[in-house]
Amino acid sequence: LTLIDEVSSIPDIPKLKCGLASGMVIARAGDLFGAPVNLAKRLVATARPGSALVDQATRTALADEERFRFTSLGKRHLKGFGHVRTFRLRPA
């Protein structure tokens, strides 16, 4: 969120978008593989510039963090995943 905020204040640079998904991944040769990686990619593709989207698992994992606040965006149809409940992540 800090990176999104800081880059947004720089003129002539496009606003960043972020997608976060939680789950098991496999790390090989510096790359990550698995469903959460693919889901995060789909979340980035649907995020508005200057925003961060998370899945239900990430929202649940961060539920007790007072630093964050979530806005439900409802379910979105994401290729390969069907309808996924998404949330916008913001600083508290």
Side-chain angles (χ1 to χ4, degrees):
L1 293 175
T2 300
L3 186 59
I4 290 172
D5 187 47
E6 296 217 5
V7 170
S8 294
S9 66
I10 301 173
D12 301 324
I13 293 183
K15 291 186 177 185
L16 297 180
K17 303 189 296 184
C18 179
L20 298 170
S22 298
M24 298 292 294
V25 298
I26 296 171
R28 289 263 156 65
D31 287 324
L32 297 174
F33 302 91
V37 177
N38 297 330
L39 179 53
K41 178 184 175 186
R42 302 286 187 239
L43 290 169
V44 168
T46 63
R48 289 185 174 180
S51 70
L53 298 186
V54 302
D55 67 340
Q56 179 69 55
T58 303
R59 196 254 180 261
T60 300
L62 297 175
D64 295 333
E65 287 285 340
E66 295 179 5
R67 300 175 295 159
F68 305 118
R69 151 180 126 193
F70 302 89
T71 303
S72 177
L73 300 177
K75 291 184 178 180
R76 294 177 181 218
H77 187 269
L78 302 178
K79 183 178 176 182
F81 293 93
H83 289 89
V84 175
R85 187 173 305 277
T86 59
F87 301 86
R88 182 169 181 198
L89 175 66
R90 296 181 188 181

